[in-house]
Amino acid sequence: MTENERWKHDGVRVVPGDQLDPNTAQTPGMDRKAAINLARVGAQKLWAGTVHIHAGAKTGAHHHGPLESVIYVVAGRARMRWGERLEFTAEAGPGDFIYVPPYVPHQEINASATETLQCVLVRSDGEAVAVNLDIEPAEAPEAVRWIDPIHRD
């Protein structure tokens, strides 16, 4: 087989949006579907898929082990809580990116009572890791505004 023939089947892959795989690690309150992972396309260093959280719903507290996660908000309003007692909070809307470092306990909340929160999720490994946690959340989380260390005044 020539290199070109191999690329035909082992090169670029397109995964249709209506063929995402719901057989992924799940967290209560959230529906994850895999598009790109080791099993589907042979991805060795990343996982990508979609996340939907219904209006007014929230996930349980969880972390993703040693993986880094990036969440891109497509539609709706995301409220993130994080920390040992989920004592910090920030919000993101359509077009915003959210970064979650390894092992950080967090919770995704749909801040809207009327629309579904729709996101694209990318992780730094071909396998999905979700470790659900039993955390008693802080009563009043502290709002945190992120300041870009590269563009500080």
Side-chain angles (χ1 to χ4, degrees):
M1 177 183 296
T2 68
E3 190 71 12
N4 200 41
E5 289 170 334
R6 187 178 64 77
W7 285 348
K8 178 178 179 180
H9 298 290
D10 294 334
V12 173
R13 315 276 173 80
V14 175
V15 178
D18 63 354
Q19 294 180 20
L20 303 185
D21 183 5
N23 296 312
T24 67
Q26 297 293 330
T27 297
M30 170 185 283
D31 297 321
R32 289 187 189 101
K33 292 184 180 177
I36 307 298
N37 62 13
L38 179 62
R40 298 197 83 200
V41 302
Q44 300 290 311
K45 298 180 181 178
L46 59 87
W47 183 100
T50 61
V51 174
H52 291 109
I53 302 175
H54 298 287
K58 61 185 175 183
T59 70
H62 62 283
H63 69 72
H64 301 288
L67 308 184
E68 294 178 288
S69 298
V70 174
I71 302 167
Y72 175 75
V73 180
V74 175
R77 190 101 192 131
R79 180 176 300 130
M80 299 293 293
R81 287 186 70 171
W82 71 93
E84 289 182 16
R85 294 187 52 237
L86 305 177
E87 64 269 29
F88 307 112
T89 188
E91 290 198 8
D96 292 343
F97 287 85
I98 301 165
Y99 171 69
V100 182
Y103 296 103
V104 171
H106 63 282
Q107 175 184 50
E108 292 94 348
I109 300 168
N110 184 339
S112 172
T114 59
E115 63 180 316
T116 299
L117 172 59
Q118 300 175 40
C119 302
V120 172
L121 171 61
V122 178
R123 291 218 189 89
S124 62
D125 194 286
E127 295 294 327
V129 174
V131 178
N132 296 318
L133 303 170
D134 186 16
I135 291 178
E136 183 65 35
E139 281 292 317
E142 175 187 345
V144 176
R145 183 174 170 269
W146 182 70
I147 299 172
D148 180 349
I150 297 172
H151 299 100
R152 286 190 176 154
D153 295 329

